Amino acid sequence: MKQPLFRQACELSFTQRTTGGNDYILEHELGDFLGRGILDLNADEVHGMFNLFDSDNDGKISKDAFDSCLRKNPLLIAHFLPCLLHKGFSSQKLVLERWRA
């Protein structure tokens, strides 16, 4: 989270997943997004990923919980790369910047 590009990637990943002006992500929203990039993703896998992000177990992922999870597990950002690449982020820059930190 110390590198500007990584912070921007996390911010964009979160805002692209929230819908309807909500400031949180629901389990089905996370599953819908992840299912686009991960073939054969099943409900148990979505639930496991959701639980990893939903640290306070309130049934939704807040921005703070999202950022906290990515700080602890920075490689998870790779699951959000399709949205980032669509917005013009370079996956090579993101990976290189993260590993320099």
Side-chain angles (χ1 to χ4, degrees):
M1 293 299 281
K2 295 178 185 178
Q3 300 298 321
L5 188 57
F6 187 72
R7 276 195 310 271
Q8 290 172 350
C10 293
E11 178 72 30
L12 183 59
S13 295
F14 184 82
T15 58
Q16 292 297 308
R17 299 308 98 216
T18 57
T19 60
N22 296 333
D23 58 347
Y24 54 84
I25 301 171
L26 298 174
E27 186 169 345
H28 75 275
E29 294 169 333
L30 182 67
D32 290 346
F33 176 72
L34 293 176
R36 290 184 226 154
I38 302 173
L39 299 177
D40 300 322
L41 186 68
N42 66 46
D44 289 335
E45 292 166 329
V46 171
H47 187 69
M49 181 72 79
F50 184 81
N51 285 338
L52 185 63
F53 279 96
D54 182 22
S55 58
D56 60 2
N57 297 312
D58 66 351
K60 53 190 174 185
I61 303 168
S62 68
K63 174 83 169 76
D64 289 339
F66 189 82
D67 288 346
S68 176
C69 184
L70 289 176
R71 274 193 305 273
K72 294 174 188 169
N73 308 284
L75 296 179
L76 289 177
I77 196 70
H79 293 299
F80 300 94
L81 280 179
C83 123
L84 299 176
L85 295 175
H86 176 71
K87 295 291 183 180
F89 274 78
S90 165
S91 61
Q92 288 179 330
K93 283 183 185 179
L94 183 62
V95 170
L96 287 174
E97 183 177 275
R98 180 63 199 144
W99 288 111
R100 283 188 213 143

